[in-house]
Amino acid sequence: MYRQIREYVESLFANAPPSAKMTDLKEEIITNLNDKYTDLISNGMGEEQAYNRVIAGIGDIDELISSQGSPVDYAEVERQNKRSAFLTALAIGLYVFSLIPVLILDSFGFLEDIGAALMFLIVGVATGLIIYANSVRPKRGMLADEAQKKRARTMSLAVSMYIFAIIPPVLISSRFRGLDNLSAILMFLIAGIATVILIYSVMSKPKYVKTDDTIVEEFKQWQYEQKNVHTTCHTIQTIIWILTVVLYIAINFLLGAWAVSWLLFVIAAVINKIIRLCFELAE
């Protein structure tokens, strides 16, 4: 019956556009059908009945083929890639420019706290830009939709706010010695708002709901979840690297720990490897 299952699925894909993507999709469906057939046989069902049950549970293959084989707007992909590249380049430039206020205002002495505050402000903006650029950049030829762009803006705002939270302690603690508690309150307030925004953005992300129990709907659900897993992993790793750069700048210019601060990048690399391994094991 395994041969009959393959022949039946190949007949469904007879008019599908020839591509490696379609071949992989077809083989994935055949493998799933064979597994279901084996399970039914092992539970005591007859071969003919098991075959009919498996075939009946395939679902609308034409819809799946249509969704997988939709033409790619390469011109729009190129435009989005260019926009993401520009935003990324601008963000990296801002990281470098963020040192200018510190260097200029440091010569005035009493304005060095303002220079540090401006540095964190620019770094926060740069971080938001680079998070957004990487979140909406086309992946595997797939364009980001409006929902993805909205989530990207929300996440970039939240991450930027974590960096903005450093500004009150920098300004208040250096000028008003008796208001350390106020600076801490403002810092945790901003960080708390950023956390609320970030958690809401993650938890409000829609999940794929199967319309039936066919193999096509199961495959769509699996594909949707896999896309989310890869996107989440990539976003977390990007945030870790950005925060590492921010910490590196902050530690060196506030504490002058140039001799040991480079270890932050080693630690970040190890953490990213662990995160990647955890996601791969979860798959």
Side-chain angles (χ1 to χ4, degrees):
M1 286 296 180
Y2 295 107
R3 181 173 58 83
Q4 285 90 327
I5 291 174
R6 172 173 287 278
E7 290 175 352
Y8 183 82
V9 174
E10 286 182 346
S11 69
L12 296 176
F13 279 81
N15 296 323
S19 66
K21 188 176 182 180
M22 283 298 166
T23 300
D24 292 341
L25 175 60
K26 180 178 67 177
E27 292 301 324
E28 181 68 27
I29 291 175
I30 291 173
T31 300
N32 289 337
L33 292 177
N34 286 339
D35 290 342
K36 287 182 176 293
Y37 176 80
T38 301
D39 289 340
L40 293 174
I41 293 297
S42 64
N43 290 328
M45 188 177 290
E47 292 185 359
E48 192 69 29
Q49 186 180 1
Y51 172 79
N52 292 332
R53 176 74 65 84
V54 167
I55 295 303
I58 292 178
D60 190 356
I61 286 290
D62 291 337
E63 180 187 353
L64 182 60
I65 292 174
S66 177
S67 64
Q68 299 296 311
S70 55
V72 178
D73 187 348
Y74 291 104
E76 183 60 28
V77 169
E78 183 65 20
R79 281 193 291 270
Q80 283 201 13
N81 271 323
K82 287 183 178 179
R83 283 196 291 268
S84 295
F86 171 76
L87 291 175
T88 301
L90 177 61
I92 294 173
L94 286 174
Y95 281 128
V96 179
F97 299 153
S98 67
L99 304 178
I100 296 177
V102 177
L103 296 174
I104 293 177
L105 297 179
D106 183 58
S107 59
F108 293 93
F110 64 94
L111 294 176
E112 60 182 4
D113 56 337
I114 297 179
L118 289 174
M119 180 188 73
F120 285 116
L121 179 64
I122 296 172
V123 167
V125 172
T127 301
L129 285 176
I130 204 168
I131 289 290
Y132 179 79
N134 279 275
S135 298
V136 301
R137 180 172 56 86
K139 299 174 180 65
R140 299 177 181 177
M142 297 180 64
L143 296 170
D145 55 26
E146 287 304 317
Q148 288 175 296
K149 291 178 181 179
K150 183 178 179 180
R151 286 194 297 271
R153 288 192 291 267
T154 303
M155 183 168 292
S156 62
L157 172 63
V159 176
S160 295
M161 287 180 69
Y162 282 119
I163 300 172
F164 296 154
I166 305 174
I167 296 177
V170 171
L171 288 177
I172 296 176
S173 298
S174 60
R175 287 178 174 267
F176 308 99
R177 298 298 179 183
L179 297 178
D180 289 342
N181 288 341
L182 176 61
S183 65
I185 289 172
L186 291 175
M187 181 183 70
F188 285 116
L189 178 63
I190 297 172
I193 295 173
T195 303
V196 171
I197 293 173
L198 193 60
I199 292 176
Y200 175 78
S201 176
V202 172
M203 295 190 67
S204 64
K205 191 173 184 178
K207 298 183 181 297
Y208 187 87
V209 179
K210 294 191 297 182
T211 57
D212 51 49
D213 292 327
T214 61
I215 189 69
V216 168
E217 284 299 309
E218 290 179 1
F219 181 82
K220 287 181 178 180
Q221 184 183 39
W222 173 84
Q223 191 177 49
Y224 183 84
E225 290 173 352
Q226 287 296 108
K227 178 184 176 182
N228 286 341
V229 166
H230 289 299
T231 301
T232 302
C233 180
H234 177 75
T235 301
I236 291 174
Q237 289 181 314
T238 302
I239 291 173
I240 288 174
W241 279 119
I242 290 173
L243 292 180
T244 300
V245 173
V246 173
L247 284 173
Y248 179 77
I249 295 173
I251 290 173
N252 286 320
F253 276 88
L254 297 179
L255 302 178
W258 297 96
V260 296
S261 59
W262 61 271
L263 290 173
L264 287 171
F265 293 97
V266 177
I267 295 172
V270 173
I271 292 174
N272 271 324
K273 287 293 183 182
I274 293 174
I275 290 173
R276 170 61 67 179
L277 179 62
C278 289
F279 274 93
E280 289 177 354
L281 290 175
E283 293 178 15

